Amino acid sequence: MLTLVLALGAALLARWGHLPLPWLLGPLFGVALLRMAGLPLEALRGGRQAGQWAIGTALGLHFTPLVVGRLGQEAPLILALALGGVLAGLLGGWILARWGRVNPATAFFAALPGGASEMVVLAERGGGAPDRVAAAHGLRVLLVVSTIPFILYHWAPASPATPLPHGPGATGTLLDLAGLIALAWVGAGVLGGLKVANFWVLGPMASVGLATALGCHLPLLPGWAVNGGQLLLGAALGTRFTPEFFSAAPRFLSISALSTFCALALGGLGVMLLQAAGWGHWPTLTLAASPGGMAEMCLTAEVLGLGVPLVTATHVLR
């Protein structure tokens, strides 16, 4: 509870300072700084999953029939962005294996732009060092969310993204909202039962997105629920950092940071080439090409009014 109170204070401070994504980045940086200062903060049990569920539910409402039709037309672009992200991750793995003083399995799973928990599990099975992989992904997410949202918040032009089919704040009746919540929980339960990675985001997104694509008029999730989900997710991410985080294997973390910046640079170069060829809107392409995490980048698209379906489809495919 102390973590949540401090996270809420950090979110309100970030909102007062007009920072991008204040409900996510405020708790993330606030809790991380306090953790590294030695305060024994712990994440609320189930808080990260609840935050991911809320974000996945909100994202699913963007998959209207019109948007799904456009995604079919943009399939080559989505495939190119997803493959580019994987290739950038492989290059990062080579950099880590060459200069990070770790075995190839650790370098491979530490550099791939996937979910941190999934990469740690795969590293354990594949002969990698789980602690190094977890540290690399924590640092990657911190670096990405410290740069991409700020750049887009201050310099991105207006987006041509398709709006939702109903106006802001159309939360409907309590019965409508209960139906939306039940539908989202069913999606999470089904994908969780199938052992799908990141099912707390993908499950609600899939079930709500499918219903939206079929023309069902679902209510919007209340703003306080989406903000609360961001706060829970940001606080959970912040608790990954400890006083020993940057002092443990400093060479490995330095090379990991270098590989992350290389992935960001390669993604930016790819976006420039696609923009020059007349493909898409560069802020949306930037989020789709970034090395994640998926929930954070899709949430940035949601908050800034960018192309949520294209960003989501790219990250899911990658």
Side-chain angles (χ1 to χ4, degrees):
M1 294 307 297
L2 175 62
T3 304
L4 288 183
V5 170
L6 293 173
L8 176 61
L12 294 174
L13 184 62
R15 190 168 179 265
W16 175 78
H18 301 289
L19 296 181
L21 298 177
W23 293 99
L24 175 71
L25 298 186
L28 193 163
F29 291 125
V31 172
L33 288 173
L34 291 172
R35 280 277 290 174
M36 288 188 288
L39 200 61
L41 300 178
E42 298 293 339
L44 180 68
R45 181 172 296 184
R48 179 176 64 87
Q49 293 84 350
Q52 290 176 319
W53 176 89
I55 292 168
T57 302
L59 295 176
L61 293 168
H62 286 266
F63 288 85
T64 63
L66 176 61
V67 168
V68 171
R70 287 184 55 188
L71 282 180
Q73 299 170 5
E74 294 174 333
L77 174 62
I78 293 170
L79 180 61
L81 288 167
L83 287 176
V86 173
L87 292 175
L90 292 175
L91 175 61
W94 178 83
I95 292 172
L96 274 175
R98 178 70 176 80
W99 290 290
R101 295 178 181 172
V102 291
N103 64 24
T106 300
F108 178 75
F109 291 113
L112 281 183
S117 57
E118 290 78 23
M119 292 299 104
V120 169
V121 171
L122 292 173
E124 289 177 330
R125 297 175 183 171
D131 58 334
R132 294 286 188 269
V133 173
H137 283 284
L139 181 61
R140 171 179 61 85
V141 172
L142 183 67
L143 292 175
V144 172
V145 301
S146 299
T147 53
I148 298 295
F150 282 89
I151 292 171
L152 298 182
Y153 182 78
H154 291 290
W155 290 294
S159 170
T162 303
L164 288 170
H166 34 63
T171 53
T173 65
L174 287 177
L175 185 61
D176 293 333
L177 187 58
L180 173 67
I181 293 172
L183 181 63
W185 275 110
V186 167
V190 170
L191 266 63
L194 295 174
K195 309 297 184 184
V196 174
N198 218 0
F199 66 89
W200 285 107
V201 176
L202 296 181
M205 190 189 305
S207 58
V208 173
L210 178 61
T212 303
L214 293 175
C216 296
H217 189 81
L218 298 174
L220 295 179
L221 202 63
W224 60 263
V226 179
N227 292 339
Q230 295 179 57
L231 186 146
L232 290 171
L233 180 59
L237 291 173
T239 57
R240 293 180 179 178
F241 298 90
T242 64
E244 299 80 21
F245 182 83
F246 289 106
S247 60
R251 179 186 178 89
F252 172 77
L253 288 177
S254 299
I255 301 301
S256 180
L258 175 63
S259 71
T260 297
F261 284 122
C262 286
L264 287 170
L266 288 173
L269 178 60
V271 167
M272 290 174 60
L273 293 174
L274 290 170
Q275 186 75 24
W279 284 83
H281 178 241
W282 75 260
T284 299
L285 295 178
T286 298
L287 287 173
S290 76
M294 182 181 76
E296 293 80 17
M297 294 301 98
C298 295
L299 180 62
T300 301
E302 159 87 13
V303 172
L304 297 183
L306 302 175
V308 170
L310 188 142
V311 175
T312 302
T314 303
H315 281 269
V316 170
L317 179 61
R318 189 188 65 195

